[in-house]
Amino acid sequence: MKLQQLKYIVEVLNHNLNVSATAESLYTSQPGISKQVRMLEDELGVQIFGRSGKHLTHVTSAGNEIINIAREILSKVEGIKAVANEHTLPDQGKLNIATTHTQARYALPNVIQGFMQKYPAVSLHMHQGTPQQISDAAARGDADFAIATEALHLYGDLIMLPCYHWNRSIVVTKDHPLAKKGSNITVQDVAKYPLITYVFGFTGRSELDKAFNAHGLSPHIVFTATDADVIKTYVRLGLGVGVLATMAVDEVTDNDLVCIDASHLFEASTTKIGFRKGSFLRGYMYDFIERFAPHLTKDLVERASLMRNQEDVDALFEHTELPVK
């Protein structure tokens, strides 16, 4: 059994059982990967992948277990390399972050700017996606950190730490009837109009649905997007009332719109940052976490990483007063 073989089976799964695409991403040959996978299966005496002719069709039950262990082994190998680099090149390396557009566009710029000024030799890569894509990237090891708000049940393989609370605003054009409501706005007021908001399961969308359901109402959603800037664009076109994260409204660039605080209508959402269990965090990674969430000191992050499950992690922060954005 070779580390190379373990890497091949993991990457084949990551590329949806497409051996050709796997070979291209690893700069090797398709026959070479197929041969090594077969050799590993022969050595183990089980099939990792089901086949139809020359094509891989599915991962077998045994294959799923083997690939999960292979991921852990490869993660430990990367951890060994990270330990060595921390001693020889403490301020050099890479940092991969998977998050949503709203976080990347509005919550992270100042954090990343300060981080890159302090660590110019660290290569930082941002991957934007849906909660499912973010969790998959972190689980595969393609991302060191996942930053997300919604669908936290997808992050079972990660240690998720609370960073801050945030809420929503109602955004309308200046001539819209709701523009004069101000802080007196109600869910019933909003329910009278077509809405433009986030895709379900994305950036706090579930809290909107909860608020309407609590009043026996159903939101009339006519347009959804994953990008707050897209939502504002279609509000400007007069297609509906925007409901989006308050942090995504800029007083200068959005001065043609009326922004109404809706924190009294919707429960706050909590953004969390997560990393794989058992990961070795470089010094600059601890620094990044604390820049993003100042209460997450290295000592506290280390304590959280030793917890048995997410429930224990949540209990650790039960009395922590999180900032609000």
Side-chain angles (χ1 to χ4, degrees):
M1 187 184 305
K2 303 175 183 176
L3 284 175
Q4 181 189 55
Q5 293 171 330
L6 300 183
K7 184 174 183 179
Y8 283 170
I9 62 173
V10 168
E11 288 302 316
V12 166
L13 180 57
N14 289 345
H15 288 82
N16 299 313
L17 309 187
N18 187 324
V19 180
S20 178
T22 304
E24 186 176 343
S25 71
L26 296 176
Y27 303 101
T28 188
S29 70
Q30 181 176 340
I33 291 180
S34 297
K35 179 182 178 181
Q36 290 299 323
V37 170
R38 281 288 195 188
M39 289 175 63
L40 179 59
E41 289 178 322
D42 290 343
E43 179 182 347
L44 297 176
V46 296
Q47 274 197 316
I48 297 172
F49 301 105
R51 295 169 173 80
S52 176
K54 295 183 179 180
H55 300 287
L56 304 184
T57 58
H58 64 280
V59 183
T60 66
S61 177
N64 272 316
E65 295 183 43
I66 291 167
I67 290 174
N68 286 337
I69 296 172
R71 278 186 170 143
E72 293 178 14
I73 292 171
L74 293 172
S75 176
K76 294 298 182 184
V77 171
E78 289 302 312
I80 291 171
K81 294 178 182 178
V83 170
N85 288 334
E86 184 65 13
H87 287 275
T88 58
L89 303 167
D91 295 333
Q92 296 182 34
K94 61 182 180 179
L95 180 60
N96 289 282
I97 301 167
T99 190
T100 63
H101 169 270
T102 297
Q103 300 294 332
R105 171 70 176 81
Y106 298 103
L108 284 166
N110 290 337
V111 174
I112 289 176
Q113 182 182 38
F115 178 85
M116 295 184 72
Q117 287 174 348
K118 182 174 180 179
Y119 301 99
V122 173
S123 176
L124 197 151
H125 307 276
M126 184 86 71
H127 310 273
Q128 296 179 50
T130 65
Q132 183 69 61
Q133 291 169 332
I134 295 168
S135 66
D136 287 347
R140 292 195 306 264
D142 294 341
D144 299 299
F145 295 139
I147 299 175
T149 299
E150 286 281 357
L152 295 177
H153 64 279
L154 296 173
Y155 303 86
D157 294 332
L158 307 183
I159 296 169
M160 300 297 293
L161 310 177
C163 299
Y164 62 87
H165 298 310
W166 61 270
N167 215 309
R168 295 143 198 81
S169 287
I170 305 297
V171 179
V172 294
T173 54
K174 291 183 177 180
D175 60 350
H176 194 281
L178 290 182
K180 299 178 181 179
K181 283 287 183 178
S183 59
N184 295 320
I185 197 167
T186 65
V187 172
Q188 288 83 353
D189 292 328
V190 180
K192 296 176 183 178
Y193 300 95
L195 302 183
I196 302 173
T197 189
Y198 298 109
V199 174
F200 185 77
F202 209 88
T203 314
R205 163 68 188 277
S206 62
E207 298 303 334
L208 181 149
D209 296 281
K210 286 180 186 177
F212 275 82
N213 292 338
H215 289 82
L217 300 169
S218 297
H220 177 39
I221 297 172
V222 296
F223 186 91
T224 62
T226 60
D227 185 326
D229 293 330
V230 171
I231 292 172
K232 288 182 285 185
T233 294
Y234 286 89
V235 169
R236 290 185 172 98
L237 292 176
L239 297 187
V241 172
V243 183
L244 70 167
T246 300
M247 74 178 88
V249 181
D250 186 279
E251 293 182 358
V252 177
T253 59
D254 297 323
N255 61 6
D256 58 325
L257 299 173
V258 175
C259 177
I260 305 170
D261 178 34
S263 58
H264 61 294
L265 304 184
F266 309 110
E267 289 187 19
S269 295
T270 303
T271 291
K272 295 188 176 186
I273 186 168
F275 52 88
R276 284 177 297 164
K277 297 173 182 176
S279 296
F280 176 80
L281 300 184
R282 302 282 304 274
Y284 61 77
M285 293 179 176
Y286 284 109
D287 192 351
F288 179 89
I289 294 175
E290 191 167 355
R291 285 172 182 270
F292 186 59
H295 62 282
L296 294 178
T297 61
K298 180 179 179 180
D299 177 65
L300 197 53
V301 173
E302 287 180 336
R303 286 173 59 192
S305 67
L306 296 175
M307 297 293 176
R308 293 176 298 175
N309 51 53
Q310 187 61 43
E311 288 74 18
D312 290 342
V313 174
D314 293 340
L316 179 64
F317 294 95
E318 185 177 359
H319 301 295
T320 301
E321 187 173 343
L322 299 179
V324 178
K325 293 189 180 182

Coordinates of all heavy atoms in Angstrom, one line a residue, residues 159-162 303-305 307-318:
I159 N -14.8 21.4 13.2 CA -15.0 22.1 14.5 C -15.4 23.5 14.1 O -14.6 24.2 13.5 CB -13.7 22.1 15.3 CG1 -13.3 20.7 15.7 CG2 -13.8 22.9 16.5 CD1 -11.9 20.5 16.2
M160 N -16.6 23.8 14.4 CA -17.2 25.1 14.0 C -17.2 26.0 15.2 O -17.8 25.7 16.3 CB -18.6 24.9 13.5 CG -18.7 24.0 12.3 SD -17.8 24.7 10.8 CE -18.8 26.1 10.4
L161 N -16.6 27.2 15.1 CA -16.5 28.2 16.2 C -17.3 29.4 15.8 O -17.2 30.0 14.7 CB -15.0 28.6 16.4 CG -14.0 27.4 16.5 CD1 -12.6 27.9 16.6 CD2 -14.4 26.5 17.7
P162 N -18.1 29.9 16.8 CA -18.9 31.1 16.5 C -18.1 32.4 16.4 O -17.2 32.6 17.2 CB -19.8 31.2 17.7 CG -19.0 30.5 18.8 CD -18.2 29.4 18.2
R303 N -8.4 24.8 22.9 CA -9.4 24.1 23.8 C -10.6 23.5 23.0 O -11.0 22.4 23.3 CB -9.9 25.1 24.9 CG -8.8 25.5 25.9 CD -9.3 26.6 26.9 NE -10.6 26.2 27.5 CZ -11.4 27.0 28.2 NH1 -11.0 28.3 28.2 NH2 -12.5 26.6 28.8
A304 N -11.1 24.3 22.1 CA -12.2 23.8 21.3 C -11.8 22.6 20.5 O -12.6 21.7 20.3 CB -12.7 24.9 20.4
S305 N -10.6 22.6 20.0 CA -10.2 21.5 19.1 C -10.1 20.2 19.8 O -10.0 19.1 19.2 CB -8.9 21.9 18.4 OG -7.8 21.9 19.4
M307 N -12.3 19.2 22.1 CA -13.6 18.8 22.5 C -14.1 17.6 21.7 O -13.7 17.4 20.6 CB -14.7 19.9 22.3 CG -14.4 21.2 23.1 SD -14.6 20.9 24.9 CE -14.1 22.4 25.5
R308 N -14.9 16.7 22.3 CA -15.3 15.5 21.7 C -16.3 15.6 20.6 O -16.3 14.9 19.7 CB -15.9 14.5 22.8 CG -14.9 14.1 23.9 CD -15.6 13.2 24.9 NE -16.7 14.0 25.6 CZ -17.5 13.6 26.5 NH1 -17.5 12.3 26.8 NH2 -18.4 14.3 27.1
N309 N -17.1 16.6 20.7 CA -18.2 16.8 19.7 C -18.6 18.3 19.6 O -18.1 19.1 20.5 CB -19.4 16.0 20.0 CG -19.9 16.1 21.4 OD1 -20.1 17.2 21.9 ND2 -20.0 15.0 22.1
Q310 N -19.4 18.6 18.7 CA -19.8 20.0 18.5 C -20.6 20.5 19.6 O -20.6 21.7 19.9 CB -20.6 20.2 17.1 CG -20.9 21.6 16.7 CD -19.7 22.4 16.5 OE1 -18.7 22.0 15.9 NE2 -19.7 23.7 17.0
E311 N -21.4 19.7 20.3 CA -22.2 20.1 21.4 C -21.3 20.6 22.5 O -21.6 21.6 23.2 CB -23.0 18.9 21.9 CG -24.2 18.5 21.1 CD -23.8 17.8 19.8 OE1 -22.6 17.2 19.8 OE2 -24.6 17.7 18.9
D312 N -20.2 20.0 22.7 CA -19.2 20.4 23.8 C -18.6 21.8 23.3 O -18.3 22.6 24.2 CB -18.1 19.4 24.0 CG -18.7 18.2 24.7 OD1 -19.7 18.2 25.3 OD2 -18.0 17.1 24.6
V313 N -18.3 21.9 22.0 CA -17.7 23.2 21.5 C -18.7 24.3 21.8 O -18.4 25.4 22.2 CB -17.4 23.0 20.0 CG1 -17.0 24.4 19.5 CG2 -16.3 22.0 19.8
D314 N -20.0 24.0 21.4 CA -21.0 25.1 21.6 C -21.2 25.5 23.1 O -21.4 26.6 23.4 CB -22.4 24.6 21.1 CG -22.4 24.4 19.6 OD1 -21.6 25.0 18.9 OD2 -23.3 23.6 19.1
A315 N -21.0 24.5 24.0 CA -21.1 24.7 25.4 C -20.0 25.6 25.9 O -20.1 26.5 26.8 CB -21.1 23.4 26.2
L316 N -18.8 25.5 25.3 CA -17.7 26.3 25.6 C -17.9 27.8 25.4 O -17.4 28.6 26.1 CB -16.4 25.8 24.8 CG -15.1 26.6 25.0 CD1 -14.6 26.4 26.4 CD2 -14.1 26.1 24.0
F317 N -18.7 28.1 24.4 CA -19.0 29.5 24.0 C -20.4 29.9 24.5 O -20.8 31.0 24.0 CB -18.9 29.6 22.5 CG -17.5 29.4 22.0 CD1 -17.1 28.1 21.5 CD2 -16.6 30.4 22.0 CE1 -15.8 27.9 21.0 CE2 -15.3 30.2 21.5 CZ -14.9 29.0 21.0
E318 N -21.0 29.1 25.3 CA -22.4 29.4 25.7 C -22.5 30.8 26.3 O -23.5 31.5 26.1 CB -22.9 28.4 26.7 CG -24.3 28.5 27.1 CD -24.8 27.4 28.0 OE1 -23.9 26.5 28.3 OE2 -26.0 27.4 28.4

